[in-house]
Amino acid sequence: MVTRAHTSIFKPRYITDFAALTHHALHAALFSSKEPKGFKSAAKDPDWLCAMQDEIKALQMNSTWDFVPRHAGLNIVDSKLVFRTKYHSDGSVERLKACLVAQGYKQVPGLDYSLTFSLVVKASTVCIVLSLVVLNKWHLHQLDLKMHF
């Protein structure tokens, strides 16, 4: 069998030149953002510290967890802080957001859980809703919740 690689035929690679794109404030903000990768780098900035405190305060107000004694032989699921910068459409910073997420990949089926469920919208649902908006000439608005449970 003769392949393209054997005959030195390769697909051309098209490299996108981001500098040639139309300059927009949002593009500039997205490409220049420096979000911390972990707690140590975020703890050096008072703005990120405030975002972390807001997240922990919201989790405590909603009674998200209970402290229980650690038993030997139980698998402990760790958590991680994820940091994101939310922008307005003009490229200005709306807010800094810190999310405490569980590292669920450390769970063992049958030991740690029997059923899992993640409330995520399907792409087909979004397409249907957008089609209804267009057909009925409705106004469309976007909403971002600060804390959702």
Side-chain angles (χ1 to χ4, degrees), residues 88-138:
H88 291 290
S89 59
D90 63 352
S92 61
V93 175
E94 178 185 350
R95 65 188 164 101
L96 301 177
K97 186 174 182 180
C99 292
L100 185 69
V101 297
Q103 295 177 334
Y105 60 87
K106 293 186 177 183
Q107 290 179 300
V108 179
L111 177 65
D112 295 319
Y113 68 91
S114 57
L115 297 173
T116 60
F117 179 75
S118 178
L119 187 60
V120 179
V121 67
K122 292 184 178 180
S124 59
T125 306
V126 173
C127 290
I128 290 170
V129 170
L130 291 176
S131 299
L132 289 172
V133 167
V134 171
L135 289 173
N136 294 315
K137 297 180 182 175
W138 293 338

Side-chain angles (χ1 to χ4, degrees), residues 43-60:
K44 296 175 185 175
D45 187 351
D47 294 330
W48 284 111
L49 275 175
C50 184
M52 287 187 280
Q53 289 171 351
D54 289 345
E55 174 73 3
I56 298 298
K57 191 186 311 178
L59 291 171
Q60 288 173 342

